[in-house]
Amino acid sequence: MGYRYFIKLAYNGTNYHGWQIQENAATVQEVITEAVKLMWIKDFKMIGCGRTDTGVHASEFYAHFDLKDEKSKEELVELTYRLNRYLPEDIVIYRIFPVPPDLHSRYDAISRTYEYHIHTKKDPFLNDLSWFMPQPLDIELMNRGGEILTEYEDFTSFSKANIRRKTNLCKVMKAFWTVDDHRLIFTIMADRFLHDMVRAIVGTLINIGQYKITIEDLRSIIESKNRCSAGESVPAKGLFLTHIEYPGFQH
């Protein structure tokens, strides 16, 4: 059956069209794959834990690959070092480590956590990684909206339309806002996410925070299962994939 390994990595997604390899566009998966092929394995292939959209970042991301031969800890450390020397500064490999041969980076994830970052005062050091939103927001009301999300499972209203998928059901475990001076951070954890789901949810919660819609309107939006009912998607640059949970091992 061979040996399976996980790569723990992070990236600034500003210069990439998401994670997954696609024609005529720079992606994180492509850059790493080509680097490994150049210095290690010619027919290297890996599978990521998800598909981040264009411009979205990941402070924690996992991918897996299989080998016929077992690699020592020293060999994996050496590969990590060499990759980090070769890869551009917006991608980092934290470590490469062995896992059970049947553990899948995408399908075996128990939960995923995203954060969306907003700054409310002009800040030149945050522009690439946060959305500038100077208008006042009712955070308490937005947190009530976050609690409502945990009561539902069908998130069709927050998913990009006209995309085929097996199901629009997701289990949201938590969704809340925190405030740190002039920075707002929305954290949401679920077993899975739909395309554009987090950015559409944030846009809708901001409408609540600006009193454009009510808490009861949020329930109606979710129950309508209509993307046109929800708020606009906020810019990708403020979105981070921050944590993936797997069964049976610490990472």
Side-chain angles (χ1 to χ4, degrees):
M1 189 173 184
Y3 300 88
R4 178 158 293 181
Y5 297 88
F6 264 34
I7 305 175
K8 181 179 181 180
L9 64 129
Y11 54 87
N12 179 323
T14 302
N15 297 321
Y16 300 101
H17 290 257
W19 161 262
Q20 188 162 323
I21 289 176
Q22 52 186 293
E23 289 186 14
N24 304 317
T27 68
V28 179
Q29 184 182 24
E30 178 188 26
V31 170
I32 297 175
T33 298
E34 292 306 313
V36 176
K37 284 182 176 180
L38 181 68
M39 64 182 59
W40 202 37
I41 302 170
K42 300 299 182 186
D43 60 347
F44 179 78
K45 294 180 181 179
M46 64 177 172
I47 297 174
C49 61
R51 304 178 182 180
T52 57
D53 293 336
T54 297
V56 175
H57 319 289
S59 58
E60 181 176 284
F61 195 95
Y62 291 90
H64 77 256
F65 63 91
D66 296 325
L67 296 176
K68 294 179 181 179
D69 303 319
E70 186 175 13
K71 298 298 179 182
S72 67
K73 181 179 180 181
E74 291 74 20
E75 288 176 297
L76 297 176
V77 169
E78 172 66 16
L79 176 62
T80 301
Y81 172 76
R82 292 174 62 197
L83 282 172
N84 280 323
R85 289 197 63 182
Y86 181 84
L87 289 168
E89 60 184 9
D90 49 14
I91 300 175
V92 61
I93 307 298
Y94 288 128
R95 67 189 187 107
I96 303 172
F97 56 98
V99 296
D102 59 347
L103 187 66
H104 196 286
S105 61
R106 182 178 179 188
Y107 298 128
D108 287 331
I110 298 172
S111 69
R112 296 168 174 83
T113 302
Y114 280 89
E115 289 181 2
Y116 193 85
H117 291 236
I118 292 173
H119 55 291
T120 57
K121 295 180 182 178
K122 191 175 181 181
D123 190 329
F125 303 106
L126 294 177
N127 287 333
D128 293 336
L129 302 172
S130 179
W131 181 39
F132 179 45
M133 176 75 184
Q135 293 86 351
L137 296 169
D138 189 328
I139 303 301
E140 183 178 351
L141 205 57
M142 291 160 66
N143 270 327
R144 285 177 58 192
E147 292 173 1
I148 286 175
L149 295 175
T150 64
E151 301 174 15
Y152 290 87
E153 291 188 337
D154 192 322
F155 288 90
T156 301
S157 295
F158 301 110
S159 177
K160 210 161 201 174
N162 302 321
I163 293 180
R164 291 184 180 180
R165 60 182 69 85
K166 291 182 179 180
T167 176
N168 287 336
L169 302 183
C170 308
K171 175 61 179 174
V172 174
M173 294 99 167
K174 57 184 178 183
F176 60 91
W177 291 86
T178 53
V179 182
D180 181 8
D181 191 26
H182 65 294
R183 303 183 67 180
L184 309 178
I185 300 175
F186 176 64
T187 302
I188 183 168
M189 182 173 76
D191 61 343
R192 61 191 295 269
F193 288 90
L194 307 178
H195 190 201
D196 204 40
M197 175 174 160
V198 180
R199 291 162 58 197
I201 286 175
V202 171
T204 305
L205 293 179
I206 285 174
N207 286 345
I208 291 176
Q210 294 180 321
Y211 309 117
K212 293 180 178 178
I213 62 173
T214 67
I215 290 294
E216 285 308 310
D217 287 335
L218 176 60
R219 292 188 182 277
S220 299
I221 288 169
I222 298 172
E223 291 167 9
S224 74
K225 301 178 184 179
N226 184 348
R227 177 65 185 92
C228 296
S229 302
E232 292 185 8
S233 294
V234 291
K237 65 180 182 178
L239 185 59
F240 292 75
L241 175 60
T242 61
H243 185 63
I244 303 97
E245 184 180 2
Y246 294 100
F249 76 95
Q250 298 292 323
H251 52 92

